[in-house]
């Protein structure tokens, strides 16, 4: 399937899954508008920028299925299985329309690209949909999706704290004292996004997996300033190098795929050597987290409530799940006091033949399997929070029990998972993602024609004065990037971003432990990890 990124957008539009907003829109409102919309949004007139923005194109199960030409959500997994089993290697082409406009060296200016903020606590504008292709002189090529936080007009961070092949490439380059060349393709078809996002073994070309998903090879074109190819169909490509700085620069925070704000990370810096783009390029902003990433027996309800009441645990809800055959599985939400997660498990597992019980906090919907799984993923350490009780009463019809001689009642194991927030957890570790301006920027208003004010712009002198004003403000109290942008909302976002970029360039800007902007060297400033 040789469908291009633009053809996919057209198909969404024809299906009523993409809405065109042609009026001026403040870039600071994009993330919350996408969050409020059940359609993908195409912002044709982003205030202060020449390039339009599209976002939300794979934010629902339906659009994800459409992107893969799949008849069901499960079919995507089957297609990916086939693609990994029979990848189609990419083909090389000499050039592509991505090179219609090229900026090199000092001409590079990321602030000209409409790179939105996402959530309230983000550390800055984030490139979220860049398909990265990296090259190691010995290990070959690797592809993946990584985020890039814009720090200066030609400088970003890259989030590679997780052990993976990209981090391996960067670490090898760092230890050798050389930069690691990468291309960053923005505005590519979801085939390439899905293929590159598959964590393949070292030596497996993810672009081959993308080709397998397509059923046709992905076309790659050469970069000009680095010996790495880019995706020829891309709208924009950044030619870059991960600098051999090591994992020493603050990066983030960012609303991660966990639906939680990630912490402040320490990562390398990336120098952008060139920007190539189509003359009428469209900037794709992948909206986090959803684009990255979708009774039961009355006797047991009564028995569980009674047992938990006897244990002194305050219950919010109970779900004896159909997946557990309405006999063996229960999910229970409680209004927790210290230690009551374990007490609730002990009480619940004493009831009848219950086999597996999950206890969650009262902010979790026990009838939503994804919510329950998320609680387990983000709040559980198995050695501390998983309880297994052997030789307990079991239901003989359980096919997983060991065979017993006739007449002998089997015993079995029970398992409890305490998926409540740990008592020692720091507050910021469990801040859910929220979007800036959600209380004032409403999608219905914009669909009805609302426009945003242009805001003031400024030359270098005005940017420098604004930078000094920002510095004075954050010297007294660190501020999140979004709060700074709002505090100086009389200026357009690009001017504020340039002022912050100016502070970074002059080495006066840093971040505190929670990701807020502060004065470098101040008492608020976060300290790099020991040894870095």
């Amino acid at each position: 399937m040789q469908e291009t990124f633009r053809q996919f957008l057209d198909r969404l539009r024809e299906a009523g899954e993409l809405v065109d907003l042609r009026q001026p829109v403040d870039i600071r409102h994009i993330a919350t508008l996408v969050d409020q919309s059940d359609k993908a949004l195409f912002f044709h007139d982003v205030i202060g920028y020449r390039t339009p923005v599209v976002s939300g194109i794979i934010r629902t199960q339906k659009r994800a299925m459409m992107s893969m030409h799949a008849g069901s959500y499960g079919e995507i997994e089957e297609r990916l299985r086939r693609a990994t089993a029979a990848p189609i290697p990419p083909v090389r082409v000499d050039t592509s329309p991505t090179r219609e406009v090229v900026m090199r060296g000092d001409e590079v200016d990321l602030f000209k690209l409409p790179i939105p903020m996402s959530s309230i606590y983000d550390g800055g504008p984030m490139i979220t949909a860049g398909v990265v292709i990296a090259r190691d002189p010995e290990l070959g090529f690797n592809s993946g999706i990584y985020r890039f936080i814009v720090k200066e007009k030609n400088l970003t961070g890259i989030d590679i704290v997780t052990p993976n092949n990209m981090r391996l490439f960067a670490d090898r380059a760092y230890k050798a004292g050389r930069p690691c060349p990468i291309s960053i393709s923005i505005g590519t078809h979801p085939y390439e996004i899905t293929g590159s996002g598959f964590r393949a073994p070292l030596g497996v070309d993810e672009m081959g997996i993308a080709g397998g998903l397509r059923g046709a090879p992905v076309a790659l074109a050469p970069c000009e300033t680095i010996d790495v190819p880019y995706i020829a169909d891309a709208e924009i490509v950044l030619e870059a190098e991960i600098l051999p700085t090591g994992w020493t620069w603050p990066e983030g925070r960012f609303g991660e795929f966990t639906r939680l704000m990630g912490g402040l990370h320490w990562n390398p810096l990336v120098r952008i050597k060139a920007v190539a783009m189509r003359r009428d390029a469209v900037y794709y902003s992948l909206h986090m987290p959803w684009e990255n990433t979708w009774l039961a027996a009355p006797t047991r309800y009564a028995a569980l409530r009674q047992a938990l009441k006897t244990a002194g645990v305050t219950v919010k809800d109970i779900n004896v799940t159909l997946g557990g055959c309405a006999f063996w599985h229960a999910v229970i939400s409680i209004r927790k006091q210290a230690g009551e997660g374990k007490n609730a498990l002990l009480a619940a597992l004493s009831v009848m033949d219950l086999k597996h019980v999950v206890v969650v906090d009262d902010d979790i919907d026990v009838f939503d399997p994804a919510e329950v799984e998320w609680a387990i993923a983000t709040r559980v350490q198995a050695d501390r929070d998983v309880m297994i009780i052997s030789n307990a009463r079991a239901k003989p019809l359980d096919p997983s029990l060991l065979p017993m001689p006739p007449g002998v009642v089997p015993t079995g194991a029970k398992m409890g998972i305490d998926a409540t927030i740990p008592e020692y957890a720091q507050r910021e570790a469990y801040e859910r993602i929220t979007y800036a301006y959600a209380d004032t920027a409403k999608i219905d208003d914009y669909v009805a024609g609302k426009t945003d004010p242009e805001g003031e712009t400024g030359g270098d002198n005005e940017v420098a004065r604004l930078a000094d004003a920002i510095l004075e403000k954050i010297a007294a109290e660190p501020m999140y990037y979004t709060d700074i942008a709002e505090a100086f909302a009389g200026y357009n976002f690009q001017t504020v971003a340039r002022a912050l970029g100016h502070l970074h360039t002059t080495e006066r800007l840093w971040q505190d432990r929670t990701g807020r902007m502060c004065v470098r060297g101040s008492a608020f400033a976060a300290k790099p990890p020991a040894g870095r």
Side-chain angles (χ1 to χ4, degrees):
M1 174 66 65
Q2 289 292 4
E3 183 178 65
T4 67
F5 175 71
R6 294 189 176 199
Q7 287 170 341
F8 174 55
L9 297 185
D10 288 341
R11 192 155 54 87
L12 289 177
R13 189 177 282 113
E14 291 167 4
E17 288 293 325
L18 184 148
V19 173
D20 291 286
L21 297 178
R22 300 185 182 277
Q23 67 271 41
V25 176
D26 192 315
I27 193 170
R28 288 168 284 203
H29 296 167
I30 285 179
T32 191
L33 295 175
V34 174
D35 179 59
Q36 296 169 48
S37 176
D38 62 351
K39 309 296 183 188
L41 298 180
F42 195 117
F43 300 90
H44 288 261
D45 187 357
V46 181
I47 292 172
Y49 301 91
R50 295 181 178 179
T51 304
V53 174
V54 68
S55 188
I57 63 175
I58 50 174
R59 190 171 175 263
T60 65
Q61 186 182 84
K62 179 180 179 180
R63 292 198 290 275
M65 290 163 50
M66 289 179 65
S67 75
M68 297 290 112
H69 291 83
S72 68
Y73 191 68
E75 189 180 332
I76 297 176
E77 181 181 352
E78 176 58 24
R79 286 174 180 245
L80 189 56
R81 186 195 64 78
R82 292 199 301 265
T84 56
I88 298 177
V91 296
R92 298 298 183 103
V93 297
D94 292 335
T95 189
S96 79
T98 312
R99 307 206 70 81
E100 290 174 342
V101 177
V102 180
M103 294 173 282
R104 307 171 184 86
D106 291 340
E107 297 174 339
V108 172
D109 189 351
L110 295 178
F111 296 124
K112 290 183 177 179
L113 295 178
I115 304 170
M117 299 281 287
S118 291
S119 48
I120 287 177
Y121 303 113
D122 282 2
M126 295 276 186
I127 298 169
T128 54
V131 177
V132 178
I133 301 178
R135 184 181 67 83
D136 179 273
E138 297 176 359
L139 301 178
F141 291 100
N142 172 255
S143 301
I145 298 280
Y146 305 95
R147 73 163 189 260
F148 296 83
I149 183 171
V150 178
K151 292 180 175 290
E152 300 178 22
K153 58 180 273 187
N154 63 349
L155 191 72
T156 76
I158 178 174
D159 185 39
I160 45 174
V161 294
T162 302
N164 53 36
N165 291 343
M166 181 69 257
R167 182 182 174 114
L168 173 64
F169 280 29
D171 188 55
R172 283 169 55 87
Y174 166 63
K175 290 175 178 175
R178 56 175 172 78
C180 178
I182 60 172
S183 68
I184 306 164
S185 298
I186 303 169
T188 64
H189 194 283
Y191 283 132
E192 283 73 59
I193 292 173
T194 304
S196 63
F198 183 82
R199 189 170 180 178
L202 195 64
V204 175
D205 188 350
E206 289 86 354
M207 286 298 99
I209 296 173
L213 286 169
R214 274 188 174 277
V218 175
L220 301 179
C223 288
E224 178 182 304
T225 62
I226 55 173
D227 186 17
V228 175
Y230 67 90
I231 297 171
D233 180 49
E235 296 287 312
I236 301 167
V237 63
L238 311 182
E239 301 181 8
E241 292 177 332
I242 302 175
L243 301 178
T245 59
W247 280 254
T248 57
W249 286 82
E251 185 272 337
R253 300 162 71 200
F254 186 62
E256 307 284 5
F257 70 93
T258 59
R259 285 190 276 163
L260 296 171
M261 287 303 305
L264 185 69
H265 295 171
W266 297 92
N267 274 305
L269 294 175
V270 176
R271 180 72 65 191
I272 309 300
K273 302 181 71 175
V275 176
M277 57 195 296
R278 295 169 184 259
R279 191 166 286 108
D280 58 347
V282 176
Y283 184 86
Y284 171 38
S285 177
L286 186 145
H287 189 270
M288 293 294 288
W290 299 116
E291 277 197 274
N292 193 353
T293 146
W294 302 124
L295 260 160
T299 55
R300 279 153 178 79
Y301 280 114
L304 279 167
R305 290 192 191 278
Q306 183 56 52
L308 291 161
K309 182 178 180 180
T310 301
V313 176
T314 303
V315 176
K316 180 185 178 185
D317 259 322
I318 299 172
N319 181 13
V320 179
T321 69
L322 289 177
C325 305
F327 278 85
W328 289 318
H329 291 178
V331 183
I332 303 163
S333 60
I334 65 171
R335 294 182 173 89
K336 177 188 171 184
Q337 298 184 59
E340 286 192 338
K342 303 297 188 297
N343 281 16
L345 287 176
L346 290 168
L349 288 170
S350 71
V351 172
M352 298 185 177
D353 305 312
L354 277 167
K355 183 178 176 183
H356 300 143
V357 174
V358 180
V359 173
V360 297
D361 293 291
D362 61 359
D363 65 321
I364 301 297
D365 180 0
V366 300
F367 300 104
D368 183 346
E371 277 273 292
V372 175
E373 184 179 1
W374 175 67
I376 294 171
T378 59
R379 303 179 185 188
V380 172
Q381 289 297 311
D383 60 341
R384 182 194 67 214
D385 296 312
V386 177
M387 176 187 302
I388 297 176
I389 302 171
S390 301
N391 300 313
R393 183 175 61 189
K395 194 171 186 64
L397 292 177
D398 183 350
S400 68
L401 293 171
L402 289 172
M404 301 296 294
V408 176
V409 177
T411 60
K414 292 176 177 276
M415 180 178 71
I417 300 175
D418 179 2
T420 58
I421 295 175
E423 281 81 0
Y424 59 78
Q426 292 183 328
R427 179 186 62 83
E428 61 264 29
Y430 286 95
E431 288 172 333
R432 294 203 186 205
I433 297 171
T434 51
Y435 295 94
Y437 304 97
D439 57 340
T440 56
K442 300 297 183 182
I443 182 61
D444 289 343
D445 295 338
Y446 286 86
V447 171
K450 177 183 176 181
T451 61
D452 290 322
E454 294 283 344
E456 296 181 19
T457 60
D460 291 343
N461 291 336
E462 183 62 21
V463 166
R465 285 193 293 272
L466 177 58
D468 289 338
I470 293 172
L471 194 70
E472 181 178 354
K473 201 167 185 67
I474 64 176
E477 181 68 26
M479 297 174 68
Y480 287 109
Y481 205 107
T482 301
D483 293 333
I484 294 172
E486 177 60 19
F488 296 91
Y491 294 90
N492 68 23
F493 183 74
Q494 183 175 163
T495 302
V496 176
R498 286 185 185 279
L500 285 161
H502 176 75
L503 290 175
H504 196 281
T505 302
T506 55
E507 298 186 352
R508 292 182 286 171
L509 187 67
W510 204 250
Q511 290 175 272
D512 72 4
R513 181 180 61 82
T514 66
R516 297 178 299 176
M517 301 296 122
C518 65
V519 177
R520 186 171 184 172
S522 69
F524 302 109
K527 304 297 189 296
R532 292 291 187 181

